[in-house]
Amino acid sequence: MAPPSPLSIATSSVQRLVKEEASYQTELQQQQSRIQNLQTSNGHEDDGNAEYQLRQERKALEETKAVLPPLRGRINEAIENLESQLEAVKESGKETPVEQITKAKEAISSAKTAYREIA
């Protein structure tokens, strides 16, 4: 089996980073929901552990928020790398499967769309 081309590697990288970012966004929403639930139930229960849980959830939320900016930077770098790989393919004139080029363009499009939705 032939090794994957630089174009397919760059495409996979963008797709993986976009999935990772979506996963962190989902985690962020879940953590915010848990914090809200803890805050609303905190006044109703006389649980000494509730305040500790609330602090831990807030800490986890802040850690998740801290991951997102560097991840967005890596996504932008991966998009730039993929775009340069597409340019290199066009300039080289080598026969590249249309499927790889289509996947690369779709990955760029989905990454840019996801980035706009978040920003």
Side-chain angles (χ1 to χ4, degrees):
M1 186 169 151
S5 70
L7 182 63
S8 63
I9 292 171
T11 302
S12 297
S13 176
V14 169
Q15 290 170 334
R16 177 184 51 80
L17 288 170
V18 168
K19 284 181 185 178
E20 185 177 343
E21 201 274 337
S23 174
Y24 278 116
Q25 287 295 330
T26 302
E27 183 178 332
L28 188 69
Q29 291 173 352
Q30 290 172 346
Q31 288 170 336
Q32 288 171 337
S33 175
R34 283 194 301 264
I35 287 172
Q36 189 174 18
N37 288 341
L38 283 171
Q39 287 174 336
T40 56
S41 68
N42 200 11
H44 302 294
E45 294 180 17
D46 207 15
D47 186 11
N49 193 31
E51 193 62 36
Y52 174 75
Q53 287 177 332
L54 189 58
R55 276 196 314 268
Q56 291 299 98
E57 288 294 334
R58 285 182 178 147
K59 182 180 176 184
L61 179 69
E62 292 305 313
E63 289 173 357
T64 302
K65 284 181 180 179
V67 168
L68 292 173
L71 180 59
R72 288 181 185 137
R74 290 197 336 252
I75 290 172
N76 284 333
E77 290 173 14
I79 290 171
E80 290 172 10
N81 181 30
L82 183 53
E83 288 173 338
S84 68
Q85 289 292 331
L86 277 172
E87 277 299 313
V89 165
K90 287 179 186 176
E91 292 174 2
S92 72
K94 288 183 180 179
E95 188 66 29
T96 304
V98 175
E99 180 182 309
Q100 282 185 8
I101 294 172
T102 304
K103 280 184 179 180
K105 289 180 180 178
E106 287 173 356
I108 290 171
S109 175
S110 68
K112 287 183 177 180
T113 301
Y115 191 77
R116 272 182 263 147
E117 289 175 358
I118 294 161

